[in-house]
C-alpha cells in the first residue's frame, strides 16, 4: 500500500489568482482518477472548458458560480455538482473571500479542452 502525504505536495499557480494542489493522479500511481484542490481569489476561476470524462466539483468553502453549458448556479461550502463528460463548464469565485474547491475527475491524467480549441494535459505518469 502506497501512502500519499498531501502535506508534502506543493501548490502551483495555474492562472493568476488560482493555486492548485494535485493530490492523486497518474504522476503518483493512480490509473483511473485524479483529485486536486484549488484556492481561488475573488473574481477568478476556471474558464469554460470540457473533459472527456465525468468530473465532480465540490465547494469546500467560499462561494462559486458554476456553469454547465447554459445553466449556472451559485454553490457554497459543502455543495457539489457532477459535470457529465464532454460538457462545457467552468466556475468563478463570486464571493469576497478565497474560494476553496475540490475536483475529482474519472481519469488519472487531467485533460481539458478550452473553448479556443487548445488542450491542456497535466500530471502524466511518472517515467519508469
Amino acid at each position: 500500500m502506497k501512502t500519499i502525504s498531501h502535506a508534502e505536495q506543493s501548490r502551483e499557480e495555474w492562472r493568476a489568482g488560482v493555486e492548485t494542489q494535485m493530490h492523486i493522479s497518474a504522476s503518483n500511481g493512480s490509473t483511473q482518477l485524479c483529485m486536486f484542490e484549488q484556492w481561488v481569489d475573488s473574481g477568478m476561476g476556471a474558464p469554460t472548458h470540457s473533459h472527456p470524462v465525468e468530473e465532480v466539483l465540490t465547494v469546500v468553502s467560499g462561494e462559486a458560480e458554476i456553469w454547465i453549458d447554459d445553466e449556472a448556479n451559485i454553490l457554497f461550502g459543502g455543495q457539489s455538482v457532477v459535470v457529465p463528460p464532454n460538457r462545457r463548464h467552468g466556475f468563478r469565485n463570486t464571493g469576497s473571500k478565497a474560494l476553496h474547491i475540490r475536483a475529482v475527475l474519472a481519469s488519472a491524467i487531467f485533460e481539458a479542452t478550452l473553448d479556443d480549441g487548445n488542450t491542456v494535459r497535466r500530471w502524466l505518469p511518472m517515467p519508469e
Side-chain angles (χ1 to χ4, degrees):
M1 172 176 23
K2 178 180 180 178
T3 301
I4 300 165
S5 175
H6 302 304
E8 296 173 7
Q9 295 172 321
S10 61
R11 291 186 188 184
E12 62 181 271
E13 186 175 70
W14 275 22
R15 296 172 293 283
V18 179
E19 285 191 350
T20 302
Q21 185 180 42
M22 177 53 76
H23 294 308
I24 307 293
S25 71
S27 66
N28 59 11
S30 179
T31 61
Q32 305 222 2
L33 61 86
C34 66
M35 179 179 75
F36 58 95
E37 295 184 69
Q38 293 185 313
W39 292 264
V40 183
D41 291 344
S42 184
M44 306 306 284
T48 302
H49 62 284
S50 63
H51 308 285
V53 298
E54 183 174 77
E55 178 178 24
V56 176
L57 294 171
T58 300
V59 175
V60 177
S61 63
E63 176 182 314
E65 177 185 32
I66 298 177
W67 57 89
I68 301 174
D69 296 326
D70 296 327
E71 183 179 359
N73 285 314
I74 302 293
L75 277 71
F76 299 93
Q79 295 181 312
S80 298
V81 64
V82 177
V83 181
N86 301 308
R87 299 283 295 276
R88 296 176 62 249
H89 65 284
F91 68 87
R92 70 181 176 92
N93 180 351
T94 53
S96 59
K97 297 181 180 177
L99 166 66
H100 181 190
I101 194 164
R102 181 178 300 120
V104 178
L105 276 81
S107 172
I109 298 169
F110 176 90
E111 182 176 311
T113 301
L114 305 174
D115 268 3
D116 65 7
N118 287 320
T119 298
V120 176
R121 297 185 87 215
R122 296 177 185 260
W123 301 297
L124 304 174
M126 296 180 70
E128 296 190 28

